[in-house]
C-alpha cells in the first residue's frame, strides 16, 4: 500500500506554485495534534475504505442468500389436432386443454434440490367415431389435479456443503480483508498526519530561529552604526553587517515559505478540500524511550497487529476456498433424481379429482441416474493451476511483508535509540553555542575579536538550535511510526470515521 506521504509531494509543489500569492495573504489556522487527527478521520480515502467494507459486507449477504426458496407459476392453453391411426384409416381428434400450475423449490448448500409442483387442468376432446365420419364422440370436460414432489442429488459434481459454501466462506474472508485494509489505510493516514504536524512544527520553529538570528544581526548592525558614529570603527565595517542582515532576511523569507508549504501539506493530509493553512499550537509530545523496548517484543507485536498482514491472510483463506471450486464445472457429474406424483381426475365435476388425489388412488414414481463428463480436462486443469498460482503469489507476498515489517521495526527502534542520544548531546551543544556567542559578542565590543568570529558564533548557535529541533521531530516521528506498526493508539481522542453520503 502506498503511503499518503508518497503522493503528497507533486501535488504540494503544484499548489505552492499556483497559490503562493493567495496563501501568503491567508492567515494560518492554529490547530493542535489531536484536532488534526480527529479531522483526518473524515479523509476521503477513509470514506472510500468504508464504502469498500460495506460493499464486501453486502456481497456476503448476497452470497448467503444465493439459494433462496423460489416460487414459480405458469399457465398454458393448448389446442391440438393430431392425426392418428384408427381401425379402417386415419382420424384427427381435437383436444383443448387449459392448465394452471405453481411450484416451489430450493437448492441446499450440499447440492440437494427439492421441489413441489401442483397443477390443475381442464380438458375436452372430440374424436370422430370412424375414419371420414362427421359424427364425433365428445369426451369431457375433465378436471385433473397433479401434485409432484421431486428430489435431485448430485453425487460427484457439486456434491457436499464443503463445495456448496466455499464461495460464501471466500466472501466472508474478503469482507475481513476489506476491514483490515481499511484499518491499515486509517493507520497510514494518522501516521502521516503525525509526521506532517511535526514537520509543520519544525518549520515554524526554524522560522522563529531564523527571525531571532535576523533580530540579532539587526542589533549588531545598530551597535556597529553607533560605534561608527563615535569613531570607534571605520564606516566600511558597516558593509559586513549589512551583508549579514541581508542573508538573515533571505533565510527568514525561505523559512516563511517552508512554513506555509508545511501548513498546506497538513491541510491536505487531514483531507480538507479548501486551501486551508495550518499552524501548530504545541511542540510534539515527548515520546517514550523506544530504545529501551524489547526489539523482539516490538517485532512480535507489529507482526501480530499488522492489518496489512491480516488482510493478506484473509485473501489467502479466500484463495484456498476458491481452489476448492476451481474446475468444479468441468468435473464429471453423476446426479440421482427421483419423484413421486399423485393424480386425480374428475369427469364433468371437480370434486372427484380432489378426492382421488387425496386418497392417493393414482400414484406414480420414478428414480433415475444421469452421468455427464467433459471430453477434455484441459479447462479443469488450467483453472486449478491458476488457483494454485494465486495462492503461491499471496504466500510470497505475505512473506515479503513480514520481512518488511520486521525490518521497519528494527530501523525505527535503532533510529529512536540513536536520536535520543543525539538529542541529549544537541541540547548541550545549544547551551555551549549560546555561551560562545555571548563571549564572542563581548570580545568584539571590547575590540578583542573580529566580526567574523561573531558571525561564526551566531551561525553555530542557529545550526545547533535547528539540529535540536530536528532531532526532537525525528524522535517523535519514529515513535509515531512504530506505534502505527505495533497497533498502539495514535491519538488520545479516538473518533470514528466520518463518511458523507454513506448509507
Amino acid at each position: 500500500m502506498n503511503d499518503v506521504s508518497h503522493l503528497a509531494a507533486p501535488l504540494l509543489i503544484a499548489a505552492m506554485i499556483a497559490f503562493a500569492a493567495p496563501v501568503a495573504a491567508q492567515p494560518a489556522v492554529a490547530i493542535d495534534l489531536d484536532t488534526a487527527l480527529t479531522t483526518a478521520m473524515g479523509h476521503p480515502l477513509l470514506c472510500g475504505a468504508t464504502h469498500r467494507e460495506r460493499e464486501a459486507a453486502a456481497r456476503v449477504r448476497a452470497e448467503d442468500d444465493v439459494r433462496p426458496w423460489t416460487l414459480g407459476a405458469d399457465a398454458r392453453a393448448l389446442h391440438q389436432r393430431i392425426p392418428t391411426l384408427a381401425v379402417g384409416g386415419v382420424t384427427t381428434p381435437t383436444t383443448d386443454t387449459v392448465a394452471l400450475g405453481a411450484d416451489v423449490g430450493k437448492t441446499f448448500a450440499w447440492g440437494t434440490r427439492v421441489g413441489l409442483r401442483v397443477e390443475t387442468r381442464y380438458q375436452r376432446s372430440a374424436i370422430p367415431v370412424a375414419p371420414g365420419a362427421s359424427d364425433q364422440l365428445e369426451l369431457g370436460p375433465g378436471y385433473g389435479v397433479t401434485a409432484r414432489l421431486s428430489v435431485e442429488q448430485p453425487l460427484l459434481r457439486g456434491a457436499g456443503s464443503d463445495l456448496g459454501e466455499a464461495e460464501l466462506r471466500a466472501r466472508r474472508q474478503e469482507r475481513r480483508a476489506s476491514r483490515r485494509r481499511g484499518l491499515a489505510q486509517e493507520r497510514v493516514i494518522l501516521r502521516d498526519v503525525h509526521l506532517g504536524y511535526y514537520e509543520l512544527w519544525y518549520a515554524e520553529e526554524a522560522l522563529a530561529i531564523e527571525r531571532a538570528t535576523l533580530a540579532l544581526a539587526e542589533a549588531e548592525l545598530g551597535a556597529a552604526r553607533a560605534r561608527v558614529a563615535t569613531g570607534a570603527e571605520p564606516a566600511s565595517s558597516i558593509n559586513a553587517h549589512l551583508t549579514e542582515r541581508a542573508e538573515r532576511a533571505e533565510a527568514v523569507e525561505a523559512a516563511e515559505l517552508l512554513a506555509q508549504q508545511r501548513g498546506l501539506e497538513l491541510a491536505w493530509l487531514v483531507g480538507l478540500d479548501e486551501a486551508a493553512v495550518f499552524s501548530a499550537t504545541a511542540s510534539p509530545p515527548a515520546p517514550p524511550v523506544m530504545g529501551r523496548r524489547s526489539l523482539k517484543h516490538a517485532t512480535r507485536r507489529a507482526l501480530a497487529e499488522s492489518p496489512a498482514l491480516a488482510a493478506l491472510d484473509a485473501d489467502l483463506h479466500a484463495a484456498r476456498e476458491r481452489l476448492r471450486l476451481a474446475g468444479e464445472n468441468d468435473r464429471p457429474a453423476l446426479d440421482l433424481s427421483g419423484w413421486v406424483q399423485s393424480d386425480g381426475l374428475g369427469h364433468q365435476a371437480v370434486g372427484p379429482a380432489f378426492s382421488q388425489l387425496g386418497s392417493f388412488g393414482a400414484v406414480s414414481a420414478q428414480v433415475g441416474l444421469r452421468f455427464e463428463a467433459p471430453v477434455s480436462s484441459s479447462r479443469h486443469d488450467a483453472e486449478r493451476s491458476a488457483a494454485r498460482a494465486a495462492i503461491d503469489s499471496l504466500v510470497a507476498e505475505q512473506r515479503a511483508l513480514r520481512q518488511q515489517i520486521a525490518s521497519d521495526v528494527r530501523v525505527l527502534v535503532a533510529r529512536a535509540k540513536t536520536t535520543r542520544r543525539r538529542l541529549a548531546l544537541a541540547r548541550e551543544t545549544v547551551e555551549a553555542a549560546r555561551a560562545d556567542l555571548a563571549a564572542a559578542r563581548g570580545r568584539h565590543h571590547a575590540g578583542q575579536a573580529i566580526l567574523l568570529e561573531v558571525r561564526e558564533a551566531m551561525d553555530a548557535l542557529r545550526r545547533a538550535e535547528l539540529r535540536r529541533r530536528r532531532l526532537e521531530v525525528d524522535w517523535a516521528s519514529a515513535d509515531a511510526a512504530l506505534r502505527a506498526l505495533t497497533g498502539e493508539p495514535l491519538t488520545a481522542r479516538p473518533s470514528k470515521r466520518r463518511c458523507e453520503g454513506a448509507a
Side-chain angles (χ1 to χ4, degrees), residues 42 47-48 50-51 54 497-503:
C47 185
T50 300
H51 286 312
R54 288 172 175 168
R497 300 179 200 168
R498 300 183 308 279
C499 185
E500 297 181 0

